[in-house]
Amino acid sequence: MPSEATTILLRGGRLATATQRDADSLLIEGGRIAWIGAAKDAPRAGRAIDLDGSRVVAGLTDAHAHLFMRAQELLNLQLGPTAKTIAELLKRLRAACEAAAPDEWVMSADYSEQFLDERRHPTREELDAVSGGRPVLLRRTGGHLSVANSAALQRAQLDGTTADPVGGTIERSNGRLNGVLTENAADIVAALIPPPSTARTISAIRKVADECLSYGIVAVTEAAVGFNNGFKVEWDIWSALRGEGGLPLRMGFMLRIDPNEAREYGLAPTGIDDRWQVRTLKFFVDGIIGARTAAFFEPYADRETSGLLMEPPADLRAKVIDGHACGWQLAAHVIGDRGIDHWLDCLSAAHEAWPRDDARHRIEHFAVRGPKAVTRVQSLGAVVVPQYGFLRRLGASFAEAVGEVRAERLYPGRTLRDAGIVVAGSSDHPIGPLSPHLGIAAAIDRKAANGRVLNAGEALTAVEALTAYTEGGAFAMGHEQRRGRIAVGQYADLAVLDRDILALPSEAIEPTRARLTLLGGETVFSDGSLATK
């Protein structure tokens, strides 16, 4: 038995473990779980924490989030859900422009027309009227669409004669640019904006990490390094943060570069790393439903477009084969059925060219699958990384965009689990709500904000939904032998919750927060409500 002086006893809780039903306590030594059992049988320990009957779960993983993007939201003009009308948005924008230097860019990174009563984008002319000649870019949350004023368009040298770039659109009204830019076209303008300082960005990232811990999240995969300000700028900031001690989270990184660029930066897969894992390349295959750029075989229900692919199919295929051969885990943003099928084609070609066991390639979103996609995912051994919280926040608008038939295929749960496919729960924050508990609730009831249930047959049980955020997230990072379960020998990555999410109706799960979060047995978050002796 471990020496008493180096041990911590968590006593009198409800443990989410399938192996010992009567267990209410566990002992931690050396950062790992050393014993599990009933409190009456507990060994002596250096200190004990009374859990007061709280539910204890394995520390949660957010398998796809954008901490850097959220940090930028905190550092830029915040519009978000609190600006409820075009008039309010323009009022805030005017104030920000008046406070800025005459030549300074004014940017928001959390804008969305879905937050506005009018459900439309502001026009270029409306932005011009309040900007005082300063360049303005409202980047829709998620970064796939932006609205620019005339000054910003001029700096990017975009005018009425500019052709749409590959993988993007420059939208027009009555033959004139209206300021709306999607995908690669939006990136042209965003690339012109000077990034915030390294020190301010690191400080903001640390604030977002603290919020993760308050939900019981102990691990995060940063979903696309390079998506906001280009790879070098962002990777230099992440590297500086690591030099300052990193974060109190287990971090994985998806790099938004191709295999050749990785070689130019001198980067190769790190393999499995408990705290700072760099083994994944991220590709964007199609766009998003909100901008009508996700790629489908059939047109959208409300527009005469079927979306677009971000690059020529042969180019992506070659990059995927190269990355697979070099040992990278490959991940792709894929939303529409055409985009999903294209990504699966690329993965199949890579496996055929370079057979490789247990590659665990990733499929991010997997929003609206085609009829054969699940079988193909199963045969490839890929991991699906959905955002069930999107059902709650965006489900109603998604259903309007894709139509009734495709709406019933949004974000599968039961179908994937029954096929034996590993599902890793995620938020896609800040596009989706950070709370994994809202995602768990939505995976259980599949309700949109308007109350509509989107295919009840895809619902998961509370245990299954929780498992996606514990075991599923750990598996996606290759950590399943080390964390993700409450079991002897696993890291003591644990979350003590303020309610029993395994015994409550879904709507009561959503507000859940952590009372205590442990990473390797160390307290990284506490709300101060649990007594230590």
Side-chain angles (χ1 to χ4, degrees):
M1 186 57 62
S3 63
E4 180 181 322
T6 61
T7 56
I8 305 168
L9 179 66
L10 302 186
R11 179 173 57 202
R14 299 178 184 178
L15 308 188
T17 171
T19 55
Q20 292 176 263
R21 297 291 183 182
D22 62 341
D24 64 0
S25 304
L26 60 82
L27 190 74
I28 301 168
E29 187 196 31
R32 294 180 182 267
I33 299 171
W35 172 90
I36 298 172
K40 62 182 179 61
D41 301 322
R44 295 178 61 85
R47 65 188 180 100
I49 300 175
D50 288 324
L51 300 180
D52 193 28
S54 297
R55 170 61 68 185
V56 184
V57 301
L60 305 165
T61 295
D62 191 328
H64 178 126
H66 299 269
L67 304 192
F68 192 99
M69 184 186 295
R70 176 55 181 157
Q72 284 211 320
E73 287 188 356
L74 297 176
L75 295 173
N76 286 290
L77 172 62
Q78 295 183 53
L79 297 173
T82 57
K84 297 184 180 302
T85 65
I86 294 285
E88 174 63 22
L89 181 150
L90 294 173
K91 179 180 178 181
R92 293 193 195 181
L93 180 59
R94 182 190 294 276
C97 289
E98 290 175 348
D103 202 41
E104 184 179 352
W105 282 83
V106 177
M107 176 184 174
S108 173
D110 67 346
Y111 156 78
S112 175
E113 83 287 355
Q114 292 297 318
F115 300 146
L116 303 173
D117 291 346
E118 295 88 346
R119 292 294 191 274
R120 69 168 176 87
H121 301 295
T123 66
R124 184 182 63 159
E125 290 76 16
E126 287 172 329
L127 299 184
D128 289 347
V130 299
S131 59
R134 296 166 183 82
V136 169
L137 187 71
L138 306 185
R139 198 166 192 188
R140 191 181 192 270
T141 182
H144 292 264
L145 181 149
S146 296
V147 187
N149 72 344
S150 295
L153 293 170
Q154 288 166 6
R155 293 198 181 195
Q157 298 181 357
L158 301 180
D159 59 30
T161 66
T162 307
D164 288 346
V166 174
T169 60
I170 303 169
E171 296 194 4
R172 294 164 171 80
S173 298
N174 299 319
R176 298 183 68 248
L177 301 190
N178 61 20
V180 176
L181 310 166
T182 70
E183 306 300 348
N184 291 345
D187 292 345
I188 293 171
V189 181
L192 302 175
I193 302 174
S197 72
T198 296
R200 291 183 67 219
T201 304
I202 288 175
S203 177
I205 290 172
R206 292 193 184 282
K207 290 180 182 178
V208 183
D210 288 342
E211 188 177 7
C212 291
L213 297 170
S214 75
Y215 287 111
I217 297 168
V218 300
V220 173
T221 297
E222 177 69 7
V225 178
F227 185 61
N228 300 275
N229 295 111
F231 180 75
K232 187 179 186 307
V233 169
E234 294 184 25
W235 192 239
D236 284 350
I237 290 172
W238 281 111
S239 298
L241 189 155
R242 188 185 191 190
E244 294 182 7
L247 295 172
L249 292 167
R250 303 192 189 277
M251 290 297 301
F253 294 91
M254 292 192 269
L255 313 181
R256 195 195 182 192
I257 53 177
D258 64 36
N260 190 54
E261 291 170 318
R263 284 188 286 269
E264 291 174 354
Y265 283 110
L267 293 169
T270 59
I272 306 304
D273 187 294
D274 291 335
R275 294 302 295 265
W276 197 267
Q277 185 162 286
V278 185
R279 69 183 192 119
T280 311
L281 300 183
K282 169 76 175 289
F283 298 93
F284 285 80
V285 178
D286 65 352
I288 61 170
I289 291 174
R292 306 305 189 266
T293 51
F296 288 96
F297 287 110
E298 301 294 333
Y300 283 86
D302 58 356
R303 289 194 203 170
E304 293 182 1
T305 178
S306 56
L308 48 83
L309 299 175
M310 294 294 102
E311 60 181 310
D315 291 357
L316 179 62
R317 178 187 175 109
K319 292 173 184 177
V320 169
I321 292 173
D322 186 4
H324 175 83
C326 292
W328 289 99
Q329 182 187 48
L330 305 177
H333 165 112
V334 282
I335 299 287
D337 51 12
R338 181 160 59 104
I340 290 169
D341 277 11
H342 178 37
W343 179 243
L344 296 176
D345 288 343
C346 291
L347 292 183
S348 295
H351 278 286
E352 183 176 346
W354 297 93
R356 181 176 150 201
D357 293 333
D358 202 23
R360 297 191 193 183
H361 296 317
R362 299 171 48 125
I363 305 173
E364 314 300 309
H365 309 302
F366 200 69
V368 185
R369 69 198 186 281
K372 298 180 181 179
V374 171
T375 300
R376 297 185 67 192
V377 171
Q378 181 187 40
S379 67
L380 289 165
V383 178
V384 173
V385 187
Q387 298 74 40
Y388 293 120
F390 281 4
L391 293 171
R392 189 75 91 245
R393 174 176 281 188
L394 300 169
S397 63
F398 283 176
E400 291 176 4
V402 302
E404 293 300 316
V405 173
R406 286 180 294 196
E408 290 302 301
R409 301 205 302 269
L410 279 165
Y411 294 99
R414 172 62 49 207
T415 299
L416 295 174
R417 185 172 178 86
D418 288 351
I421 294 167
V422 174
V423 174
S426 72
S427 67
D428 202 9
H429 188 65
I431 300 92
L434 179 60
S435 171
H437 309 292
L438 188 149
I440 288 168
I444 296 167
D445 65 29
R446 300 189 60 84
K447 284 184 181 178
N450 64 359
R452 174 178 176 176
V453 175
L454 293 157
N455 196 347
E458 291 290 350
L460 299 177
T461 68
V463 170
E464 290 168 341
L466 173 62
T467 297
Y469 289 86
T470 54
E471 296 182 37
F475 182 89
M477 295 179 74
H479 291 177
E480 72 275 9
Q481 299 302 319
R482 311 176 188 198
R483 64 180 188 86
R485 295 177 292 119
I486 298 179
V488 171
Q490 292 255 303
Y491 286 137
D493 291 4
L494 302 164
V496 182
L497 304 180
D498 65 2
R499 67 200 68 202
D500 189 353
I501 65 173
L502 300 183
L504 293 172
S506 58
E507 62 272 14
I509 294 172
E510 290 189 24
T512 302
R513 301 298 285 252
R515 302 179 72 181
L516 182 73
T517 305
L518 303 178
L519 182 77
E522 296 186 9
T523 298
V524 288
F525 171 80
S526 173
D527 70 357
S529 65
L530 295 174
T532 302
K533 297 180 180 178

